[in-house]
Amino acid sequence: MRALPRIIGNRAAFGGAGPLSARVLMIAGGGGGGGGSGPGGAGEYRELTGVSLPVAAYTVTVGAGGASSNSSPQGGDGGDTSFNGITLNGGGGGGGYFGTTNGLPGGSGGGSFGTGGESVKTGGGLGFAGGSGDGAFESGGGGGAGGAGQNAISNNGGDGGAGVSSDISGSSVSRAGGGGGGCDNGTAGVGQAGGGNGGTSGVTGGNATANTGSGGGGGGFGAGGGNGGSGVV
């Protein structure tokens, strides 16, 4: 078994005779961090083994990371990833400080100063809810494929939810973690498995690592969030 041999644009091409027995890792794009606190959630995560793929050209869609918010509104949702009849949901954007404060639902939900977003999975993959805020200026962490985002505690932002490890690339790598929650004057939450760290007052949340499907960090009070990480097939 092996991963997809090559991808040209948005198409995977196979050569040789007979069907390929493949091991396939799919992750949707992670959500973007919101302005003023809420981090993005990870994209839905799924790994399959023994997938029989006849010799053919296949359309592959890899979800983009969600855009950060540089002011108060919520961060953008991550894009969906699809391959061979399976579509995984992008991660939910993080909640903003003013206006709509709740995290958005997604493969893993966005974290929030208000209520964390729910996990909504339609592709049979992994994902968890985002963490919720403490009622002051701090946000819970974004949900990850391996666990829920941590709720904000006292003056501190919540850490992102755990990612999931895979050795499909030859060594074990953890991907699809939640972004860290932003805060005011406490300790910002830490992003997991490539997720962006949260910011403190006036500090922008960190961008998630590309091709991990992890969530962007939530901005500190008065600052923008970080971009979500693109997905992968």
Side-chain angles (χ1 to χ4, degrees):
M1 294 181 289
R2 54 192 174 93
L4 300 180
R6 59 191 175 103
I7 296 177
I8 305 171
N10 66 341
R11 298 183 70 81
F14 300 104
L20 174 72
S21 181
R23 180 182 178 189
V24 180
L25 175 64
M26 299 175 60
I27 311 174
S37 63
E44 187 177 359
Y45 179 109
R46 186 172 180 184
E47 185 169 359
L48 306 98
T49 59
V51 180
S52 181
L53 298 172
V55 175
Y58 293 83
T59 298
V60 179
T61 300
V62 176
S68 62
S69 170
N70 293 319
S71 54
S72 299
Q74 296 158 310
D77 291 338
D80 296 346
T81 285
S82 61
F83 171 69
N84 198 35
I86 298 172
T87 298
L88 304 184
N89 291 351
Y97 180 67
F98 297 103
T100 305
T101 61
N102 293 337
L104 292 169
S108 289
S112 178
F113 157 80
T115 301
E118 298 179 351
S119 172
V120 178
K121 306 177 292 291
T122 60
L126 301 174
F128 288 85
S132 298
D134 64 355
F137 299 107
E138 288 70 42
S139 171
Q150 181 185 50
N151 291 334
I153 302 174
S154 186
N155 294 321
N156 304 320
D159 292 341
V164 177
S165 296
S166 171
D167 62 0
I168 194 169
S169 60
S171 60
S172 183
V173 177
S174 187
R175 304 175 178 88
C183 67
D184 186 8
N185 294 315
T187 301
V190 177
Q192 305 297 312
N197 293 329
T200 54
S201 182
V203 177
T204 300
N207 295 328
T209 303
N211 301 127
T212 62
S214 297
F221 182 69
N227 296 320
S230 53
V232 71
V233 174

